Amino acid sequence: MLNTRYAAGAPIWVDLGTPDPERVNAFYRSLFGWEFQSGGPEVGGYSLYQTDGKTVAGVMTVAAEQAPPAWMIYFKTPDADATGKAVEQAGGGTVYEAMDVGDLGRMGVFTDAQGVGFAVWQPGTNKGLDLVDAPNSLVWTELCTPDIEAAKEFYGSVFGWGSSTASFAEGSYTMVHPAGGTEDDMFGGLWSLSDSPEEAEGGPYWIPYFQVADMDAVLAKVEPSGGTVRVARMDLAGVGSFAKLADPCGARFALMQPEAPSAG
């Protein structure tokens, strides 16, 4: 799972682009208890979601005509410019070239060879999210892609990711970890769009999973708070429970409640 040691190539930040922050702030506060910390003009109004004073995500206003509401996942890089070149060489594209964000760090936004958007973060004074792999914070990431093998090749080339495949009664699942890591360092999975009919209309994308302590209690709040349950709760023995949602503006994300460790 994720950790705040943030190895190169691992998820280090996540943020929400939405046309209506006020509307979705209330939604995420209802689900996760997140507090909204408004950013000043020096950061273009870029704001934070926090729990117990710890930053768990960012949020910014993105007009509907600019881009659809969406969560963006950032992967750590020691050199955003070099990563941008690696993306181009691997058949990806550049949305925003690497740029400084004050003294906070350096970022770039790209697309992979299948057209899926992702971002990179080269830390400055901002070393990454304060809290991960804990209730109400980022716990997992997943790429819904039309071609798992092509995705493995692309991200392996850009970040050096390693991978392994786990088999379950329902099929198999490909998981990824940072270069030099092991299965204990897995932070994300690759899932075929052909196995996800609910994703067909929206197309391929990266989806963040946020950990919850009580899946049913959180799911009960989704629709009354204006969201949508896109995929109902699923339970996987030895792993935990999952559900896929959309917030009131349509940004897609997921929940995960890890299975409690067995006693003894």
Side-chain angles (χ1 to χ4, degrees), residues 35 38 56 109 132 142 188 210 250 254 258:
E35 295 298 328
S38 180
V56 292
V109 181
V132 297
E142 185 175 82
F210 298 104

Side-chain angles (χ1 to χ4, degrees), residues 23-59:
R23 184 182 180 195
V24 299
N25 290 347
F27 172 78
Y28 289 108
R29 184 168 57 251
S30 173
L31 263 62
F32 303 130
W34 288 352
E35 295 298 328
F36 176 75
Q37 299 295 322
S38 180
E42 65 276 9
V43 291
Y46 188 91
S47 302
L48 302 174
Y49 287 129
Q50 295 186 330
T51 181
D52 295 327
K54 296 180 179 180
T55 298
V56 292
V59 58

Side-chain angles (χ1 to χ4, degrees), residues 12-29:
I12 188 172
W13 193 262
V14 63
D15 62 22
L16 173 66
T18 179
D20 194 344
E22 184 173 345
R23 184 182 180 195
V24 299
N25 290 347
F27 172 78
Y28 289 108
R29 184 168 57 251

Side-chain angles (χ1 to χ4, degrees), residues 80-81 95-102 105-109 120-122:
D81 296 272
V95 179
Y96 295 110
E97 293 184 351
M99 67 186 84
D100 289 326
V101 185
R106 192 164 173 80
M107 65 166 287
V109 181
V120 300
W121 183 253
Q122 178 183 333

Side-chain angles (χ1 to χ4, degrees), residues 1-2 9-11 75 139-141 161 176-178 185-189 206:
M1 292 296 182
L2 298 179
F75 300 98
V139 66
W140 190 251
T141 62
W161 290 354
V176 292
H177 59 76
D185 302 309
M186 296 292 181
F187 59 75
W206 276 101

